[in-house]
Amino acid sequence: MAADVLDATFAALADPTRRAILARLMEGEATVTELAAPFAMSQPGISKHLRVLERAGLISRGRDAQRRPRRLEASPLKDAMDWLANYRSYWEESYQRLDDLLGELESGGPKAVERESP
């Protein structure tokens, strides 16, 4: 995955309003007016958020007669999840080491005594 696409995805996800818009679009396409309804924000303000999401490839604009509904494009989210998954084994190993250490300390095993001694 290109770094600039990943950067755009994470930058778009950094804002809670944009995350809420994506959550709404998971239910189905919506117009700008429909997307703006739950927010205390002007329509131009929502439009700015939508432009960020469009540039990141997270939403697309359709055309249905006079309507211009937006829809979720989940592919960049999958790419971000795949990138984050690279760190999963690191965290699993770290937690396993912590679990092992806590188990030793609780049981008062030989390694626990060594660690407690100055």
Side-chain angles (χ1 to χ4, degrees):
M1 160 180 250
D4 56 340
V5 174
L6 191 59
D7 291 346
T9 300
F10 282 119
L13 294 174
D15 186 274
T17 301
R18 291 191 288 267
R19 291 191 305 269
I21 290 169
L22 291 176
R24 165 53 187 88
L25 290 174
M26 283 177 41
E27 299 170 12
E29 62 183 35
T31 64
V32 174
T33 304
E34 293 167 338
L35 292 170
F39 303 104
M41 188 180 299
S42 67
Q43 207 160 343
I46 289 294
S47 293
K48 287 181 183 180
H49 285 293
L50 294 175
R51 280 194 297 277
V52 171
L53 291 168
E54 283 182 42
R55 280 195 303 268
L58 293 166
I59 66 172
S60 62
R61 188 184 320 194
R63 184 174 212 157
D64 181 19
Q66 297 299 320
R67 294 180 63 225
R68 303 286 187 275
R70 298 330 195 264
R71 65 181 56 90
L72 178 66
E73 299 294 338
S75 176
L77 293 173
K78 166 109 174 55
D79 294 339
M81 290 291 296
D82 291 345
W83 183 84
L84 287 168
N86 292 326
Y87 294 92
R88 184 182 186 112
S89 63
Y90 168 79
W91 287 109
E92 287 174 351
E93 290 171 14
S94 296
Y95 287 133
Q96 185 59 52
R97 287 193 305 272
L98 180 59
D99 285 344
D100 293 345
L101 175 61
L102 291 174
E104 290 173 17
L105 291 173
E106 287 175 356
S107 68
K111 290 184 180 179
V113 173
E114 292 172 13
R115 286 193 178 96
E116 291 176 9
S117 300

